[in-house]
Amino acid sequence: MTDKQGKTRLVILISGRGSNMRSIVEAAKQDELDVDIKAVISNRPDAAGLEYAQNAGIPTAVIDHKKFDSRDAFDQTLAAEIDRHTADFVILAGFMRILTEAFVTHFEGRLINIHPSLLPKFKGLHTHQRAIEAGETEHGASVHFVTAELDDGPVILQARVPVYPDDDADTLSARVLEQEHLLYPAALKKLVTRQAN
């Protein structure tokens, strides 16, 4: 299921500035990641990452969730747009929508997310604050397959950072995000290599 150049096809979903999307695009540009990014799709027309993707020559699309009267209708339209690009993997890079079970099932084994914690710890939101409050000495990020249960799919790769006594959620978040930008391309490289063999 690769294109004629033998590259694995990705569609990336974003909601905001798309910093993790940028790290993937940069890794592909520098031939560190052998992928063809077919499209960047956002659920928000004002997502800053769209302009970056356009400037990088990547096709973009906006499917505004506010224009749909149900989560199902939005997800069906989004799935149809992704399917147009025959993606091998669908990459969630700061895509701030809870996806329906039908959507997740449709892309089963091909839907990838990054989560700012060492899963299975701290699923859901406010992971950095929760890690500090729990007295963790180590925190990080996980790239994982998406399943119907939130932040529960098999982990592909993790990155770890120390938690310092004077950390607050912002300082810890910045340290984790720095690692996310290295982790996501590395995890995708692992997947692409596995797919090629």
Side-chain angles (χ1 to χ4, degrees):
M1 272 181 47
T2 51
D3 67 10
K4 57 184 178 292
Q5 288 94 28
K7 290 180 186 279
T8 300
R9 296 180 300 253
L10 306 183
V11 169
I12 304 176
L13 307 185
I14 64 170
S15 293
R17 68 184 192 273
S19 69
N20 273 308
M21 175 265 297
R22 291 178 189 219
S23 70
I24 294 164
V25 172
E26 290 302 319
K29 270 190 196 170
Q30 292 160 21
D31 293 326
E32 293 164 12
L33 188 57
D34 194 23
V35 295
D36 182 8
I37 301 168
K38 303 302 280 186
V40 171
I41 303 171
S42 178
N43 64 310
R44 299 176 65 95
D46 60 348
L50 289 169
E51 186 180 356
Y52 171 86
Q54 289 158 2
N55 291 339
I58 299 165
T60 61
V62 174
I63 300 172
D64 187 345
H65 65 275
K66 292 179 183 170
K67 294 187 174 173
F68 293 84
D69 57 8
S70 74
R71 200 180 286 274
D72 284 328
F74 169 77
D75 278 11
Q76 284 168 13
T77 304
L78 179 61
E81 177 63 26
I82 294 167
D83 285 342
R84 271 191 344 103
H85 300 285
T86 57
D88 296 308
F89 293 107
V90 180
I91 310 302
L92 306 179
F95 188 65
M96 304 308 289
R97 297 285 298 165
I98 301 286
L99 297 162
T100 59
E101 190 169 346
F103 183 95
V104 172
T105 301
H106 181 72
F107 294 106
E108 190 172 1
R110 299 189 289 143
L111 193 57
I112 313 297
N113 185 42
I114 191 163
H115 181 73
S117 80
L118 295 172
L119 292 173
K121 288 183 176 181
F122 309 118
K123 298 175 183 181
L125 300 173
H126 311 299
T127 61
H128 310 302
Q129 187 62 41
R130 286 160 61 204
I132 290 168
E133 286 170 2
E136 298 287 327
T137 57
E138 193 175 54
H139 187 47
S142 308
V143 175
H144 65 99
F145 286 103
V146 177
T147 59
E149 194 175 329
L150 185 68
D151 300 326
D152 196 59
V155 169
I156 299 160
L157 208 59
Q158 292 182 316
R160 297 169 184 276
V161 301
V163 180
Y164 297 124
D166 60 348
D167 267 329
D168 60 24
D170 290 338
T171 58
L172 186 53
S173 169
R175 194 175 309 120
V176 171
L177 188 62
E178 200 174 294
Q179 289 305 309
E180 285 184 30
H181 294 161
L182 302 172
L183 176 67
Y184 221 158
L188 294 179
K189 186 171 186 174
K190 184 177 174 182
L191 275 182
V192 168
T193 305
R194 187 190 301 170
Q195 191 186 38
N197 291 338

